[in-house]
Amino acid sequence: MSKSVHVHAFRDLLDGGGIVDDPERIATYTTDQRQTFTGSTFAVLKPATTKEVSDIVRLAARLNIGIVPQGGNTSYCGGATPDASGRQIIVSLERMDRIREIDPVSMSISVDAGAILKNVQDAAAGAGLLLPLSLGAEGSCQIGGNISTNAGGLSVVRYGMTRDLLLGIEVVLSDGTVVSDMRKLRKNNTGYDVKQCFVGSEGTLGIVTGAVLRLAPLPARRATAWLKLTAGAPLAELLALVRRESADLITTFEFMTARSIALATAAMTNPPAVGAGPGGAVLVELASSSSHLDLDGLMEAILGEAIGFGWIEDAYLAQSGVQQASMWEVRETIPEGEKRRNGSVKHDISVPLASIQRFLDVAGSQVRAHDADLELSVYGHVGDGNLHYNVLVPPDADRIEFTREIERGLSLQLYDTAASLGGTFSAEHGVGRFKKHLLEKYGDAGRIAAMRRIKAAFDPSDILNAGAVVRPFEAGSIG
Ligand code: FAD
Ligand code: MLT
Ligand code: ZN
């Protein structure tokens, strides 16, 4: 059957705006976020209902056409990008963006999977509640993408990853079956927790069409501070101090080096006058839904202790919402700052908190030994043991070539270091198409075998996002 016959067959399932087959418009969906790989497809399907998703999957399975689910296309590992074969269609959830229900008593929100994270945060805030998932891409990424990558972000230290916020799910399986489990229960021990299979599965097990997320009370007070660290300041001890002395009211503990801050402020129109000490800087936030707690006083006391221990040389406590926002903007603009300078080779590593300093020391020597002229942008969610240990692409280098060269050599040394400390090569960005070889290299063989069996059980014909994460076959390579 020719591609145009396929297009007609899919068009019949969808209403007017539901299919894109014009090559120019298709091109806006086929390149990954980092612009390192462009795949090929003959159509982008944009279903408006769960039934349409199910119909698409049934037809695709019958025609043996692969499906790549796509949300906001903000992920970093190529999982939302089709391969080069031209035999995979993209299913974009962008038209399924409804807020279905907010339940202030159960403190939950039910949404379509294509709802943009920022819109869901705003809807929750409108009801006096907080959706405690926050990341730099929140204006474009979708809840279905957040679930499928188990997104982390800037408040994991308090509220956990997306996995921890998921109460219910609606998902279309590879034969078109709809799993409808949109419950808002905290307790539901009725067999396997099927919804969790889809978290972090990167579109390889099902297409998420709806979700129920846990909300929290909206903070009434926030104390936000920018800490300049002394040389060798112990990050894990500083974090432990803040957690203990704030009665665990911490929501954010973000580490940044001077280079990362400079990249961000260079990309901002009105940057605040913050900087780093010799040990870097940390953005710390405490938040409370109680308006009776003196969070600023608490923060000042904690900062005083940290100065007394010799861990920080200076600190600013934000005096207004505007100052808070501008400190946050610095942190959130780092990826954009890297991009403007010619990009970075990203290493989204995580190690147990006690080993963060060791990782920084060993990785630093590895980088210097590789090439003393390399520049780094190191920052991240240190409250969760997660560092973005990024090698900056020199302004005059070919970005793709440079990235390939680093990924073939230095990156593996850095991942070896993380692995030797009990860490991982992907803390929050996933595996997608780009990190499969790393899963193969560093993953436990038994765990990979278990992943393959899960994939084979949910998608035996490998219709869903073939080429990402794992394939259902027992022999040969992962992808
Ligand atoms: P996409 O990129 O479209 O897709 C991601 C994967 O999920 C793909 O494999 C795709 O096939 C699958 N998928 C998408 N939607 C569905 C669905 N409905 N059903 C089944 N599968 C689906 N990530 C973090 O974890 N923490 C951060 O702090 C963070 N900060 C970022 C900052 C910036 C500036 C950028 C650009 C990205 C950042 N990311 C971060 C990465 C990215 O935003 C997250 O991975 C996000 O969760 C991806 O959502 P998305 O809707 O864009 O998904
Ligand atoms: C972040 O924390 O800003 C992202 O996960 C890292 C990035 O965008 O490179
Ligand atoms: Zn991150």
Side-chain angles (χ1 to χ4, degrees):
M1 222 190 271
S2 74
K3 283 178 183 167
S4 63
V5 175
H6 288 152
V7 169
H8 278 296
F10 283 111
R11 197 187 299 279
D12 286 345
L13 300 177
L14 299 162
D15 69 28
I19 185 159
V20 175
D21 60 343
D22 150 43
E24 214 169 291
R25 284 180 63 211
I26 284 181
T28 60
Y29 294 84
T30 48
T31 296
D32 78 289
Q33 165 66 212
R34 287 168 61 201
Q35 300 186 316
T36 53
F37 175 73
T38 297
S40 165
T41 187
F42 59 92
V44 177
L45 307 184
K46 302 199 275 179
T49 63
T50 301
K51 168 147 188 335
E52 286 186 358
V53 175
S54 169
D55 290 345
I56 289 169
V57 174
R58 275 181 218 282
L59 181 60
R62 193 154 58 74
L63 299 174
N64 197 25
I65 290 172
I67 293 176
V68 178
Q70 192 175 95
N73 195 20
T74 66
S75 56
Y76 285 127
C77 299
T81 309
D83 63 24
S85 70
R87 286 209 45 88
Q88 291 178 310
I89 44 167
I90 293 175
V91 173
S92 165
L93 278 285
E94 68 195 62
R95 291 207 302 157
M96 294 182 61
D97 62 354
R98 279 176 317 140
I99 307 291
R100 297 189 192 176
E101 188 205 7
I102 301 181
D103 180 342
V105 179
S106 296
M107 297 219 282
S108 64
I109 188 163
S110 309
V111 298
D112 283 355
I116 288 178
L117 173 56
K118 177 79 172 67
N119 296 343
V120 183
Q121 291 169 347
D122 289 349
L129 292 163
L130 173 77
L131 175 68
L133 178 66
S134 161
L135 45 144
E138 63 200 21
S140 338
C141 65
Q142 300 175 3
I143 295 299
N146 300 147
I147 292 169
S148 303
T149 57
N150 188 25
L154 300 150
S155 29
V156 173
V157 64
R158 168 87 157 261
Y159 300 103
M161 308 274 282
T162 301
R163 180 183 302 293
D164 302 296
L165 305 175
L166 189 66
L167 297 175
I169 204 164
E170 182 186 270
V171 57
V172 175
L173 304 182
S174 65
D175 64 352
T177 301
V178 178
V179 177
S180 190
D181 192 18
M182 291 286 283
R183 273 184 272 210
K184 37 181 122 159
L185 303 176
R186 257 64 169 181
K187 290 191 162 182
N188 182 18
N189 282 351
T190 52
Y192 304 143
D193 193 352
V194 171
K195 66 178 179 301
Q196 290 291 347
C197 291
F198 300 96
V199 181
S201 70
E202 300 183 61
T204 61
L205 301 181
I207 304 184
V208 182
T209 52
V212 186
L213 300 165
R214 188 163 66 84
L215 301 177
L218 197 63
R221 291 201 170 177
R222 293 190 296 137
T224 312
W226 189 276
L227 284 50
K228 292 173 149 188
L229 305 180
T230 53
L235 286 165
E237 278 91 333
L238 179 59
L239 171 67
L241 170 77
V242 178
R243 293 191 70 163
R244 187 178 65 246
E245 294 306 325
S246 70
D248 227 0
L249 291 176
I250 187 169
T251 50
T252 294
F253 190 93
E254 292 287 322
F255 171 74
M256 289 155 277
T257 50
R259 192 75 188 91
S260 301
I261 296 166
L263 287 166
T265 50
M268 288 168 65
T269 36
N270 202 4
V274 289
V282 172
L283 174 69
V284 182
E285 190 162 277
L286 309 178
S288 157
S289 55
S290 166
S291 50
H292 303 298
L293 291 179
D294 175 14
L295 289 191
D296 280 352
L298 204 50
M299 182 73 95
E300 274 167 11
I302 294 168
L303 297 181
E305 269 196 66
I307 289 173
F309 288 132
W311 297 342
I312 56 181
E313 58 172 39
D314 203 359
Y316 313 110
L317 181 57
Q319 300 300 318
S320 65
V322 173
Q323 285 187 2
Q324 285 173 323
S326 105
M327 287 180 184
W328 271 84
E329 196 185 341
V330 175
R331 165 59 186 88
E332 291 191 325
T333 308
I334 297 172
E336 177 59 26
E338 289 179 355
K339 216 169 168 177
R340 288 198 190 180
R341 190 203 180 254
N342 202 17
S344 65
V345 187
K346 291 180 188 289
H347 303 101
D348 170 36
I349 70 97
S350 143
V351 292
L353 259 174
S355 301
I356 285 263
Q357 199 57 54
R358 176 89 188 126
F359 176 84
L360 286 168
D361 293 345
V362 177
S365 339
Q366 287 171 319
V367 171
R368 282 190 297 277
H370 182 86
D371 179 349
D373 292 331
L374 283 184
E375 280 193 80
L376 293 169
S377 168
V378 178
Y379 62 101
H381 323 285
V382 161
D384 322 315
N386 180 188
L387 280 173
H388 297 306
Y389 199 88
N390 298 344
V391 176
L392 293 171
V393 181
D396 53 351
D398 179 295
R399 191 172 56 84
I400 308 274
E401 273 307 305
F402 180 85
T403 301
R404 278 205 195 109
E405 191 225 304
I406 294 291
E407 286 186 343
R408 271 196 296 259
L410 177 60
S411 299
L412 298 176
Q413 292 179 35
L414 299 173
Y415 293 139
D416 283 348
T417 301
S420 73
L421 295 169
T424 173
F425 61 86
S426 186
E428 58 174 14
H429 292 167
V431 174
R433 284 178 171 62
F434 301 156
K435 288 193 170 179
K436 280 184 309 185
H437 63 296
L438 299 176
L439 178 61
E440 191 144 30
K441 179 169 160 62
Y442 296 104
D444 169 71
R447 179 168 171 264
I448 292 173
M451 285 171 68
R452 281 198 172 119
R453 285 181 211 176
I454 293 169
K455 172 70 175 170
F458 277 106
D459 184 21
S461 307
D462 208 10
I463 294 287
L464 294 172
N465 217 356
V469 192
V470 281
R471 285 215 148 127
F473 318 122
E474 288 296 335
S477 69
I478 284 177

